[in-house]
């Protein structure tokens, strides 16, 4: 079988053939500029080759780099682990081990100015995407039931946060996850701890804390991947990195920025003494307000009770009863007067009728006799002799005619 034939299950290539083909393909690649963080430096004085390990700070990816030993010794300042560098290297394949590495001929340390310029460009990019917007920031709970603290192991930042938080609120529950806070391992470890706390229902707020340091030391907290992870977290995040002048990009994307870890311990929980005093003041204010309201209502009731209608509720009724009695008596007297008047008029009318009636006239023996003369005129009889024979007599008693008297009869 020749190496030009296709590889099949029946006619597979040997390892040497595969390694040679991979090496031929890799060796055809040109030199490239690579940026990363140095995680390991091995430069022995009696050797001609130095070995480096470059790591991508935003991902769990690393590559081996070889270079002449003098290239490491001539670098100023000396190359150390955690430094950011730019390497000009050509990929190479080691046939015997089947591994790939970079063969470097230039190594340049990334200066502070270049680091700050890159951070500034990333800041503008994240600002344009809205990751620093105040509208997306979540409020910190007033009294979180659990606090997640991400910081270095046995660090001053951890002691400051714990001491201040527990001093203000002794019953606060704080879970601590220790991670690297500088170097190539810082970003992935902090992101892993953030995911753990974000998935914990007992954690209401996450604090990422670190003490002060150089720009290179704080570089992981301006990493783009970490900033995006904090922005995507569902739990509010507090940034407490470095001192007051230190402002990594994490400060802008976090929901709350604290100037120092000590400041974070004071701001994530309330002060028990202050809250107790505030409760006492509010209780006193409530008591005074209640007493004032009761006094006001008492005065109002006193004023209402002092009014005549409530001070003597039966008085108006009694006065109205007296008025009713007076008007009733007045009506009775008026009625009696009217009846007496009508009775007097009735008696007077009866008396007149009795006096003018024929019965009374006859009872006195008095009569008026009228007769018709020959001409037919009605005349009053003064004597019997005046009546002619055959005359008709009419007797009137008072004003009424009683009847006619026949001829020769006396009336």
């Amino acid at each position: 079988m020749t190496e030009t034939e296709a590889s099949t299950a029946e006619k597979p290539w040997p390892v040497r053939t595969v390694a040679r083909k991979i090496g031929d393909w890799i060796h055809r690649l040109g030199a490239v500029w690579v940026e990363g963080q140095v995680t390991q430096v091995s430069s022995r004085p009696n050797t001609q080759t130095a070995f480096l390990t470059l790591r991508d700070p935003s991902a769990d990816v690393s590559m081996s780099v070889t270079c002449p030993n003098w290239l490491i010794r001539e670098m100023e300042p000396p190359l150390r682990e955690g430094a950011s560098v730019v390497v000009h290297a050509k990929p190479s394949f080691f046939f015997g081990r089947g591994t790939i590495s970079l063969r470097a001929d230039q190594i340049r340390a990334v200066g502070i100015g270049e680091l700050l310029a890159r951070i500034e460009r990333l800041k503008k990019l994240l600002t344009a995407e809205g990751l620093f917007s105040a509208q997306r920031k979540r409020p910190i709970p007033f009294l979180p039931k659990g606090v997640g603290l991400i910081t270095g192991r046995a660090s001053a930042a951890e002691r400051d946060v714990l001491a201040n938080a527990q001093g203000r609120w002794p019953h606060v529950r704080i879970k601590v996850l220790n991670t690297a806070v500088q170097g190539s391992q810082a970003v992935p470890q902090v992101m892993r701890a953030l995911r753990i706390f974000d998935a914990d229902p007992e954690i209401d707020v996450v604090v990422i804390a670190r003490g002060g340091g150089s720009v290179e030391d704080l570089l992981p907290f301006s990493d783009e991947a970490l900033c995006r992870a904090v922005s995507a977290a569902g739990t509010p995040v507090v940034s407490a990195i470095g001192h007051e002048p230190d402002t990594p990009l994490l400060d802008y994307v976090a929901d709350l920025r604290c100037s120092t870890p000590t400041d974070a311990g004071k701001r994530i929980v309330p002060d028990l003494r202050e809250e107790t005093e505030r409760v006492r003041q509010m209780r006193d204010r409530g008591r005074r307000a209640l007493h004032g309201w009761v006094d006001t209502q008492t005065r109002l009731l006193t004023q209402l009770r002092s009014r005549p209608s409530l001070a003597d509720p039966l008085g108006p009724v009694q006065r109205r009863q007296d008025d009713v009695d007076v008007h009733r008596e007045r009506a009775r007297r008026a009625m009696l007067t009217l009846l007496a008047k009508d009775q007097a008029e009735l008696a007077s009318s009866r008396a007149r009728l009795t006096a003018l009636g024929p019965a009374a006239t006859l009872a006195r023996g008095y009569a008026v006799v009228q007769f018709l003369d020959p001409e037919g005129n009605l005349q009053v009889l003064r004597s019997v002799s005046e009546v002619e024979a055959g005359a008709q007599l009419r007797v009137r008693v008072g004003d009424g005619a009683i009847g006619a008297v026949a001829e020769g009869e006396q009336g």
Side-chain angles (χ1 to χ4, degrees):
M1 183 187 69
T2 64
E3 295 182 358
T4 58
E5 295 178 358
S7 173
T8 63
E10 291 74 18
K11 297 179 179 181
W13 287 347
V15 174
R16 64 180 180 277
T17 301
V18 176
R20 187 178 298 111
K21 287 182 177 291
I22 294 175
D24 293 342
W25 182 82
I26 291 176
H27 291 154
R28 287 197 297 268
L29 297 176
V32 293
W33 287 97
V34 183
E35 179 184 1
Q37 278 187 329
V38 178
T39 60
Q40 184 179 2
V41 180
S42 177
S43 176
R44 297 180 181 180
N46 298 325
T47 60
Q48 295 183 353
T49 303
F51 297 91
L52 309 176
T53 300
L54 283 185
R55 182 182 181 87
D56 190 326
S58 300
D60 190 13
V61 179
S62 61
M63 290 194 70
S64 297
V65 179
T66 62
C67 67
N69 207 347
W70 60 265
L71 192 61
I72 300 297
R73 292 196 301 266
E74 292 182 357
M75 290 190 64
E76 290 293 339
L79 186 64
R80 61 185 179 87
E81 294 182 3
S84 296
V85 295
V86 175
V87 176
H88 184 264
K90 187 177 185 304
S92 62
F93 181 77
F94 291 91
F95 181 78
R97 297 192 301 271
T99 59
I100 301 173
S101 67
L102 299 175
R103 180 67 179 178
D105 55 16
Q106 295 185 52
I107 299 178
R108 300 179 184 179
V110 179
I112 299 299
E114 178 63 21
L115 289 176
L116 295 178
R118 293 181 182 181
I119 293 175
E120 187 63 26
R121 288 195 295 270
L122 179 59
K123 180 180 177 180
K124 292 180 179 179
L125 173 63
L126 298 181
T127 300
E129 294 183 10
L131 267 67
F132 300 161
S133 175
Q135 285 72 22
R136 58 157 296 276
K137 295 185 182 297
R138 294 149 297 190
I140 304 302
F142 171 73
L143 183 59
K145 58 184 178 182
V147 177
L149 176 59
I150 302 174
T151 187
R153 184 180 302 278
S155 62
E158 179 180 354
R159 292 192 299 271
D160 290 344
V161 173
L162 293 178
N164 285 275
Q166 293 173 350
R168 289 170 62 85
W169 197 271
H171 300 290
V172 62
R173 297 174 55 192
I174 301 179
K175 295 182 180 180
V176 181
L177 286 179
N178 295 121
T179 65
V181 290
Q182 69 182 53
S184 60
Q185 297 295 322
V187 173
Q189 290 186 14
V190 171
M191 291 175 60
R192 182 166 54 251
L194 178 62
R195 288 193 296 270
I196 293 174
F197 281 145
D198 195 27
D200 190 345
E202 297 297 325
I203 299 300
D204 287 342
V205 61
V206 178
V207 180
I208 302 177
R210 187 202 189 282
S214 63
V215 175
E216 294 90 339
D217 292 338
L218 301 181
L219 192 61
F221 300 99
S222 293
D223 184 81
E224 180 179 1
L226 179 58
C227 291
R228 294 187 182 279
V230 170
S231 175
T235 305
V237 178
V238 177
S239 173
I241 307 300
H243 302 300
E244 179 64 33
D246 299 325
T247 54
L249 297 185
L250 182 62
D251 286 351
Y252 297 98
V253 74
D255 298 288
L256 175 64
R257 186 254 178 181
C258 296
S259 58
T260 61
T262 300
D263 184 38
K266 294 179 179 179
R267 299 181 67 178
I268 58 176
V269 292
D271 190 341
L272 179 60
R273 291 181 294 273
E274 292 179 359
E275 297 305 320
T276 302
E277 178 63 20
R278 185 175 291 112
V279 170
R280 187 191 63 79
Q281 293 176 0
M282 294 179 65
R283 185 185 294 117
D284 292 342
R285 187 183 306 171
R287 183 184 299 109
R288 290 193 299 269
L290 181 59
H291 287 174
W293 181 82
V294 171
D295 293 341
T296 301
Q297 299 303 317
T298 301
R299 289 194 297 270
L300 179 60
L301 289 176
T302 302
Q303 294 174 1
L304 292 175
R305 292 177 60 186
S306 64
R307 294 181 180 180
S309 59
L310 294 179
D312 183 18
L314 297 180
V317 177
Q318 186 63 44
R319 287 192 293 273
R320 295 298 182 268
Q321 181 64 38
D322 295 341
D323 293 342
V324 170
D325 294 341
V326 169
H327 288 296
R328 184 172 59 188
E329 181 61 24
R330 186 179 300 170
R332 189 180 66 81
R333 290 197 299 268
M335 184 62 68
L336 292 176
T337 300
L338 182 59
L339 290 176
K341 179 181 178 183
D342 291 342
Q343 288 177 352
E345 291 179 356
L346 184 59
S348 175
S349 299
R350 185 183 293 113
R352 287 199 303 271
L353 289 175
T354 302
L356 296 176
T361 302
L362 293 176
R364 292 195 305 268
Y366 172 76
V368 176
V369 178
Q370 294 177 333
F371 65 93
L372 294 175
D373 57 12
E375 286 79 11
N377 296 320
L378 187 62
Q379 302 293 331
V380 177
L381 179 63
R382 294 181 175 83
S383 65
V384 177
S385 59
E386 294 180 0
V387 181
E388 296 181 357
Q392 295 288 330
L393 299 179
R394 183 180 299 274
V395 179
R396 294 181 62 87
V397 179
D399 292 333
I402 299 303
V405 181
E407 181 181 354
E409 292 181 353
Q410 295 183 352

